[in-house]
Amino acid sequence: MMTRRRNSAFPKVVIERDTDSEESSSSDEEGEDGPEPETSEEEEKELKESENRDKKEETLVDAKKKGKAPITISLKKVCKVCKRPGHEAGFKGATYIDCPMKPCFLCKMPGHTTMTCPHRVASEHGVVPAPHRNTQNPVEYVFERQLIPRIRQCKPACVIPNQVSCAVIRYHSRRVTCLEFHPRNNNLLLSGDKKGQLGVWDFDKVSEKVVYGTIHSCILNNMRFNPTNDGMIYSSSSDGTISYTDLEIGISSSLMNLNPDGWQGPSSWRMLYGMDVNAERGLVLVADNAGLLYLVDTRSNNETGRAVLIHKKGSKVVGLHCNPVQPDLLLSCGNDHFARIWDMRKLEAGGSLYNLTHKRVVNSAYFSPISGTKILTTAQDNRLRIWDSIFGDMDSPSREIVHSHDFNRHLTPFRAEWDPKDSSETLAVIGRYISENFNGTALHPIDFIDTGTGQLVAELMDPNITTISPVNKLHPRDDVLASGSSRSLFIWRPKEKSDFVEKKEERKILFCGKAERKKPGKNVGDESEDDSDCGGFSSKGKRSKFSKKELICKSKRKVKR
Ligand SMILES: [Zn+2]
Ligand SMILES: [Zn+2]
């Protein structure tokens, strides 16, 4: 299998803060979006930095006002991070310089800088690969000898969708939060955003798209198709409702509303995050920010049973996943630093089968897509964790892979997802937070990782996408990746294929809306500038490598299926 080392030709590490820029309505961002309500190191740095600057300015202004000779204060050059003299740290232009007193930004371990972190040089550093099966039994021996060589261990690099084939720029009015492919129509991509809107895009026809704006009043966190009617979709939102929407006409009904009396203050407001559909049992499962799980019967579309406390009281349950093979098994994860496995037949507080411990917030937890026996989790401590078998030792993960996905705010949390087409159940995709200085441009790759070895199989970058891509979805049947970056959507296909088979077909990039300008001033340290809100693609040609031929600008059209 081909593996690639992380790009070492451009050794500068750039850690961007708010690349995914939006109007900073920080009041609603905070608490809702942040993975946990702790001030992150980055923010502290920023605060200290501005404090220092302010103090300096004040002194000068005071001196001028009083008409006295300015008092010369010897501003000893101190580190902005640890405030000790002798070294400097923080942002220097677009490049972040580590404070030697603080642990590595990537692996959180002391003794080296982010730039020289061994995990950054090779993602498989420190990972013990999955062991091969023990073949003492003759049947297994024959099986391994005859069958195993024919089963691909991991997808070869050539079928990794590594080139942008089409895109809709500024499609959503706020950042994209989730993506879902239609279960039957191969070219239909659904997308949710921070405003609660639902997009339906036919990426084969590129300009056929619609955005439904009246389904939710804030963040659309998750969506799932009705298993018996793929024209209908369930969605959960931070407005505390589950909506059931007809994709053809965009009309939805509310199946559940946890805030029937509207806004009564932050303490009583309920938000719905994790959601999945259990087809065998005819249930929609949703979980809220108070640690509770709710069940909705898909036949009556009414809530059934009582809400069950499945995570720490008052903590967010961000992810739910039903086992693809065994419908009685449910996996949940949340802000209480746990992923938990449940038996659907006896759901009760404290009754989980296993509690998988993590060091920080768990953004996602998924059973493997085919056998359902492996588990992959993404936690905010910059670690991906893999449990090789739910029948084996569940006390500790089989492997931990260091990967940069810890961030501050204003981003949709990163989630590593399995490739649903990979029969070996090893390949996973996840966006990267830390950027590479790529010919002077900071790019945030989308990583394909072999979870069996920790190796980086591919890192996807496009010089035009300068924003972070936290939302990624692999197609269930085709070699297609959909990524959501800021307000834009991108469709990636394998490069080889498009070069030979579809040589004449150019990339189709569709621009929507206007590029919003940030307010002048108050922009210190933000290198992303105006590119940030248009998904990195500048419609004015700046840095854009797309010719005008590639631009198709049409007004919104309703999707026809
Ligand atoms: Zn320092
Ligand atoms: Zn490190």
Side-chain angles (χ1 to χ4, degrees):
M1 189 188 60
M2 267 185 65
T3 53
R4 287 182 206 172
R5 295 264 148 149
R6 287 198 176 146
N7 212 325
S8 51
F10 309 102
K12 282 180 186 168
V13 182
V14 183
I15 300 157
E16 279 191 42
R17 286 161 295 188
D18 293 335
T19 348
D20 194 69
S21 86
E22 299 169 325
E23 316 86 72
S24 302
S25 48
S26 48
S27 56
D28 72 304
E29 284 278 4
E30 240 175 303
E32 263 186 33
D33 272 355
E36 55 185 341
E38 52 180 41
T39 321
S40 74
E41 236 173 81
E42 284 283 295
E43 272 173 283
E44 272 171 39
K45 282 172 201 163
E46 204 176 353
L47 286 172
K48 282 173 190 166
E49 206 173 314
S50 60
E51 249 171 50
N52 280 356
R53 205 167 33 237
D54 290 349
K55 274 181 196 163
K56 208 170 168 182
E57 276 161 19
E58 265 171 40
T59 328
L60 287 172
V61 170
D62 283 355
K64 275 180 193 167
K65 267 186 196 166
K66 289 168 192 165
K68 289 175 191 169
I71 308 156
T72 321
I73 309 165
S74 65
L75 278 170
K76 241 189 196 174
K77 280 202 171 175
V78 292
C79 170
K80 286 161 188 164
V81 180
C82 70
K83 298 218 165 181
R84 288 185 216 194
H87 65 273
E88 279 183 272
F91 281 94
K92 280 225 163 182
T95 309
Y96 182 81
I97 296 158
D98 271 318
C99 165
M101 309 309 236
K102 290 273 177 178
C104 165
F105 182 81
L106 178 59
C107 72
K108 322 280 187 198
M109 302 299 281
H112 60 266
T113 63
T114 312
M115 211 194 291
T116 58
C117 178
H119 297 281
R120 188 173 170 271
V121 177
S123 62
E124 67 270 27
H125 176 79
V127 175
V128 179
H132 287 287
R133 282 183 65 185
N134 222 355
T135 48
Q136 271 135 27
N137 159 329
V139 180
E140 275 185 348
Y141 177 75
V142 171
F143 176 82
E144 282 227 337
R145 240 188 100 154
Q146 298 188 338
L147 298 177
I148 296 291
R150 296 187 202 169
I151 300 171
R152 279 202 302 229
Q153 285 302 301
C154 192
K155 292 178 78 65
C158 62
V159 293
I160 281 174
N162 52 3
Q163 190 177 52
V164 172
S165 79
C166 60
V168 264
I169 308 303
R170 298 188 297 272
Y171 174 44
H172 282 275
S173 54
R174 305 299 291 276
R175 71 173 153 78
V176 174
T177 52
C178 56
L179 294 170
E180 202 72 24
F181 284 102
H182 192 274
R184 196 167 37 86
N185 185 330
N186 281 348
N187 303 319
L188 223 50
L189 178 68
L190 270 66
S191 49
D193 72 18
K194 199 198 151 194
K195 209 174 173 183
Q197 300 190 327
L198 174 72
V200 185
W201 179 35
D202 184 330
F203 56 86
D204 191 43
K205 299 188 178 81
V206 187
S207 57
E208 295 225 342
K209 58 182 177 50
V210 66
V211 174
Y212 297 125
T214 55
I215 297 167
H216 291 290
S217 58
C218 63
I219 314 175
L220 198 164
N221 288 308
N222 264 298
M223 49 193 168
R224 291 287 182 275
F225 279 90
N226 180 337
T228 57
N229 176 2
D230 60 23
M232 301 296 290
I233 193 149
Y234 297 101
S235 54
S236 67
S237 163
S238 293
D239 64 10
T241 67
I242 306 174
S243 280
Y244 185 51
T245 307
D246 185 323
L247 291 180
E248 190 74 41
I249 51 174
I251 291 179
S252 62
S253 52
S254 178
L255 304 191
M256 208 172 94
N257 184 1
L258 295 183
N259 303 303
D261 304 322
W263 178 256
Q264 305 283 323
S267 57
S268 62
W269 188 254
R270 290 281 174 274
M271 298 177 262
L272 288 171
Y273 287 91
M275 182 171 72
D276 202 5
V277 166
N278 189 326
E280 285 78 6
R281 291 176 160 259
L283 290 173
V284 181
L285 302 96
V286 273
D288 70 1
N289 60 326
L292 294 167
L293 171 76
Y294 306 82
L295 306 175
V296 171
D297 191 306
T298 55
R299 285 153 290 202
S300 65
N301 276 340
N302 282 321
E303 198 182 335
T304 173
R306 271 193 196 169
V308 184
L309 186 74
I310 57 166
H311 279 260
K312 190 180 162 188
K313 198 178 175 186
S315 73
K316 267 188 219 174
V317 184
V318 291
L320 293 175
H321 189 218
C322 297
N323 191 286
V325 177
Q326 176 48 262
D328 290 325
L329 283 182
L330 170 70
L331 182 60
S332 64
C333 64
N335 280 18
D336 65 353
H337 302 196
F338 280 102
R340 302 180 198 270
I341 304 176
W342 301 86
D343 185 336
M344 288 289 292
R345 292 164 296 192
K346 40 176 191 178
L347 280 172
E348 55 190 38
S352 53
L353 301 176
Y354 291 112
N355 299 311
L356 313 180
T357 319
H358 291 71
K359 283 178 185 140
R360 278 187 68 191
V361 166
V362 190
N363 293 347
S364 66
Y366 296 108
F367 287 116
S368 56
I370 299 160
S371 72
T373 59
K374 297 183 184 182
I375 288 175
L376 169 65
T377 68
T378 307
Q380 280 295 102
D381 63 350
N382 272 348
R383 301 288 190 282
L384 303 176
R385 288 179 177 82
I386 299 102
W387 281 261
D388 278 336
S389 172
I390 53 171
F391 307 111
D393 172 25
M394 297 298 284
D395 292 340
S396 57
S398 309
R399 275 176 305 292
E400 286 187 1
I401 301 166
V402 173
H403 181 264
S404 171
H405 49 255
D406 181 18
F407 65 100
N408 314 310
R409 291 193 279 132
H410 309 296
L411 275 184
T412 303
F414 291 86
R415 302 180 186 104
E417 297 197 4
W418 300 100
D419 182 347
K421 303 174 295 295
D422 171 27
S423 58
S424 68
E425 298 188 319
T426 50
L427 196 63
V429 65
I430 181 169
R432 200 192 300 172
Y433 177 68
I434 206 169
S435 65
E436 292 292 340
N437 194 335
F438 190 83
N439 290 337
T441 312
L443 299 182
H444 304 264
I446 299 166
D447 292 328
F448 280 79
I449 292 170
D450 180 340
T451 60
T453 60
Q455 284 170 328
L456 188 67
V457 178
E459 48 182 357
L460 273 50
M461 284 180 272
D462 186 300
N464 291 287
I465 309 174
T466 54
T467 43
I468 301 165
S469 307
V471 190
N472 296 288
K473 191 61 112 185
L474 281 160
H475 199 283
R477 293 166 298 276
D478 296 339
D479 289 323
V480 167
L481 168 75
S483 66
S485 193
S486 191
R487 298 156 54 199
S488 307
L489 299 181
F490 300 90
I491 294 292
W492 303 72
R493 291 180 193 273
K495 197 175 186 176
E496 282 82 355
K497 204 177 165 187
S498 49
D499 276 350
F500 294 111
V501 185
E502 309 161 57
K503 208 169 182 180
K504 282 181 183 173
E505 199 178 307
E506 287 180 330
R507 301 208 266 191
K508 287 171 184 161
I509 313 296
L510 183 66
F511 287 88
C512 314
K514 285 178 185 172
E516 283 161 35
R517 294 261 160 195
K518 277 187 161 183
K519 283 165 211 158
K522 290 266 175 190
N523 216 358
V524 189
D526 191 349
E527 321 80 30
S528 51
E529 290 169 24
D530 52 319
D531 294 272
S532 52
D533 80 326
C534 58
F537 284 76
S538 167
S539 47
K540 293 190 175 169
K542 182 191 157 199
R543 280 222 289 256
S544 176
K545 290 193 174 174
F546 293 105
S547 66
K548 280 190 178 171
K549 272 183 207 167
E550 292 174 311
L551 313 182
I552 317 160
C553 291
K554 283 179 186 170
S555 57
K556 282 183 186 174
R557 239 199 273 168
K558 214 185 145 300
V559 152
K560 285 166 197 159
R561 294 188 306 127

